[in-house]
Amino acid sequence: MKHTRAVTTRRAFLTVGGAAALGAFGTACGQRLPRHSRAELRGRGDVAGDIRFAWWGAASRHLLSNDIADIFESDHPEANVQREPGEFGNYFKRLNVQAAGRNLPDVTQMQARQLNDFTERDALLPLDPMLDSGAIDVSEIPDAVLETGRGPDGRLYMLPTGAAYDAVTVNATLAEQAGVELPGLGYDWDDFAAFLRAARDGLPPAIPPAGLSGGLPNFFIAYVQGHGEQMFDGRLLGFSRELLVTYWEMWEEMRHDGLTNTPESNAEEPPTPEASYVAQGALLSDVTPGNALTPIQATLDGTQPGQRLTTLPLPSGPAGGGNVLISSGMSIPRNCDNVPTAAAFVDFWANDARSGDTYASDNGGVTNTRLLQRQVDDPELPRTKRHELRLYQRIVEREPALVIYPPGYMAVFESAFLRAYEDVSFGHRTVREAVDAFFEEANAGLAT
């Protein structure tokens, strides 16, 4: 199975920051919501006319997304997909403006962590009636994956089409040279620390065993899940203060024992996975997106030829596995005036083999199990990509816990969490002082 691309027409390709995008902002104020018929709310009707489609990504993902839209248009000659790509850093800022003006694109790519910023405003249509009518087929999407697209009210507002996970990326070559074996399946946090301690004395002095990850929210989410506590209770924090105290004390102990890089070095690390220290061969291990193994290995091949990376699931805890899924997918806003065509496009993206083969799990593992297996079985698939997808399959088989992210999660929780741990690692506050300050700031911000 070759990963071929369709001929791209890009009939309505809108560049980020261009006049077309700005025009969408300027004309949005006061736009009335359409009155949908019952059939339209079920996704039933002619697949024809214009729909706008928005997504984020780099240039390579823009090409893939356009190719899929072109294939859909070739199947439905009376439909036209207008394209609105964006760069992730500004993408949701643009959506916020469009949502305020009731001018969201008819098919809007969402991520679970930001989804409830929009469900709170009643900006999205529930997709459940479209599932019930068969307009959108979810029969080949596992329940644990599908649930990540639900809002606090239990209704489905995003059809997950790509599911990412975090992983511990390890330089297997350096581990072998240090004389240590990689942690086995089901390893826990004590095993993780023991692995780092065993590797420390066998590594070159300039290479720490791990990145200082106490301020990474996704790593802490795994700790919470593995210890049987809840991340959020509605809008408020659901885990105990003592759990966070224990977590940050664990990281401080590892830092003082020389198992991590320094806070100063950690603060200077480039933000993208492919430019990270583990990609440069300057760390034995670090937590990274699981679907970043391939670009990280590509960087390492250029900086340290012959070294091989692998990824492990995040550590388990007394209550089980820690990994959760971070899904991206497609939503249909209430302001959409062509729901049948939007629903057909969402269904095509999620279920058509040509869509799966073209996109090739570019933004997390494809959620359709049939399309996923097609990719895993492809003999031309690179080693690293096959490893990414197989690890995703194993995580899904364990039915990971569901996290419903409250509105404001990215803006409030993540920034406050990182800042509080930096206060600890740079010696500005004790662990307990930082935990108390974090709880106060996060709960106040999430509540409002």
Side-chain angles (χ1 to χ4, degrees):
M1 179 178 66
K2 295 183 181 294
H3 299 289
T4 57
R5 295 180 179 174
V7 176
T8 302
T9 62
R10 297 173 184 80
R11 289 189 289 185
F13 197 108
L14 304 182
T15 58
V16 180
L22 292 175
F25 299 163
T27 60
C29 296
Q31 182 166 312
R32 293 179 178 272
L33 292 177
R35 293 186 176 182
H36 300 109
S37 69
R38 182 170 298 182
E40 288 174 328
L41 291 174
R42 291 169 59 83
R44 290 306 186 186
D46 295 334
V47 181
D50 294 343
I51 58 170
R52 294 161 53 212
F53 169 44
W55 71 91
W56 71 79
S60 60
R61 187 175 297 168
H62 297 339
L63 293 174
L64 300 177
S65 300
N66 273 282
D67 288 347
I68 295 173
D70 289 341
I71 300 170
F72 177 80
E73 288 179 335
S74 69
D75 283 358
H76 303 281
E78 296 182 0
N80 175 40
V81 181
Q82 301 174 359
R83 296 76 183 289
E84 300 182 17
E87 179 269 328
F88 186 82
N90 293 315
Y91 179 78
F92 285 96
K93 295 178 183 177
R94 186 177 76 183
L95 290 191
N96 282 327
V97 175
Q98 292 174 322
R102 297 176 178 176
N103 192 40
L104 284 168
D106 303 283
V107 176
T108 302
Q109 187 180 52
M110 285 282 176
Q111 190 181 80
R113 292 179 295 185
Q114 290 95 344
L115 179 64
N116 292 316
D117 292 344
F118 297 89
T119 63
E120 180 188 41
R121 297 185 239 178
D122 200 26
L124 306 176
L125 284 173
L127 303 180
D128 307 82
M130 303 175 206
L131 274 55
D132 294 340
S133 72
I136 297 177
D137 181 15
V138 297
S139 61
E140 295 181 293
I141 299 178
D143 288 343
V145 179
L146 188 65
E147 294 299 300
T148 62
R150 297 198 182 276
D153 62 1
R155 294 191 288 183
L156 190 74
Y157 292 100
M158 177 188 75
L159 183 71
T161 55
Y165 59 92
D166 285 297
V168 176
T169 297
V170 181
N171 189 315
T173 303
L174 289 178
E176 182 177 359
Q177 292 173 357
V180 294
E181 295 185 0
L182 302 183
L185 290 177
Y187 76 104
D188 61 20
W189 292 90
D190 289 339
D191 297 328
F192 176 59
F195 164 70
L196 300 181
R197 284 193 171 85
R200 178 184 53 196
D201 295 336
L203 290 170
I207 299 180
L212 182 59
S213 301
L216 295 181
N218 290 354
F219 218 177
F220 177 63
I221 289 174
Y223 192 82
V224 173
Q225 301 304 323
H227 284 77
E229 295 199 23
Q230 186 175 339
M231 271 302 299
F232 300 103
D233 182 8
R235 287 179 173 272
L236 302 180
L237 303 179
F239 53 88
S240 66
R241 294 178 187 239
E242 285 304 313
L243 188 71
L244 182 53
V245 167
T246 302
Y247 181 74
W248 278 344
E249 286 179 343
M250 175 187 71
W251 277 104
E252 284 300 279
E253 181 180 354
M254 290 194 292
R255 182 174 71 86
H256 288 299
D257 287 350
L259 304 185
T260 73
N261 60 352
T262 66
E264 294 79 6
S265 172
N266 196 61
E268 294 173 358
E269 184 174 18
T272 59
E274 57 269 29
S276 63
Y277 291 151
V278 73
Q280 300 173 35
L283 281 178
L284 171 66
S285 68
D286 207 357
V287 59
T288 67
N291 61 337
L293 176 61
T294 298
I296 292 174
Q297 181 68 65
T299 300
L300 189 66
D301 289 342
T303 59
Q304 303 290 337
Q307 294 189 1
R308 184 177 65 86
L309 296 170
T310 190
T311 53
L312 308 172
L314 299 186
S316 300
N323 275 97
V324 300
L325 298 177
I326 305 169
S327 65
S328 301
M330 306 300 176
S331 296
I332 300 176
R334 289 193 178 276
N335 63 258
C336 175
D337 60 2
N338 192 353
V339 176
T341 302
F345 184 68
V346 171
D347 181 73
F348 175 83
W349 190 287
N351 296 306
D352 193 281
R354 293 167 297 172
S355 169
D357 293 349
T358 300
Y359 204 63
S361 296
D362 189 73
N363 190 15
V366 63
T367 58
N368 182 302
T369 55
R370 171 177 50 87
L371 303 187
L372 177 64
Q373 195 60 49
R374 280 173 62 90
Q375 294 175 29
V376 171
D377 293 340
D378 180 7
E380 297 182 9
L381 194 68
R383 171 194 68 83
T384 52
K385 193 67 178 181
R386 180 173 288 106
H387 178 83
E388 291 174 17
L389 298 181
R390 283 179 171 168
L391 182 52
Y392 164 65
Q393 286 178 316
R394 288 200 294 270
I395 290 171
V396 172
E397 288 171 359
R398 298 183 69 176
E399 297 185 348
L402 174 66
V403 176
I404 300 292
Y405 298 89
Y409 166 78
M410 294 285 285
V412 175
F413 181 94
E414 290 207 343
S415 59
F417 191 86
L418 173 60
R419 189 166 55 253
Y421 182 66
E422 285 182 341
D423 282 345
V424 173
S425 62
F426 281 101
H428 302 319
R429 281 176 167 160
T430 67
V431 167
R432 289 192 178 275
E433 288 171 345
V435 168
D436 287 342
F438 167 73
F439 263 73
E440 182 178 352
E441 179 181 355
N443 278 331
L446 293 173
T448 57

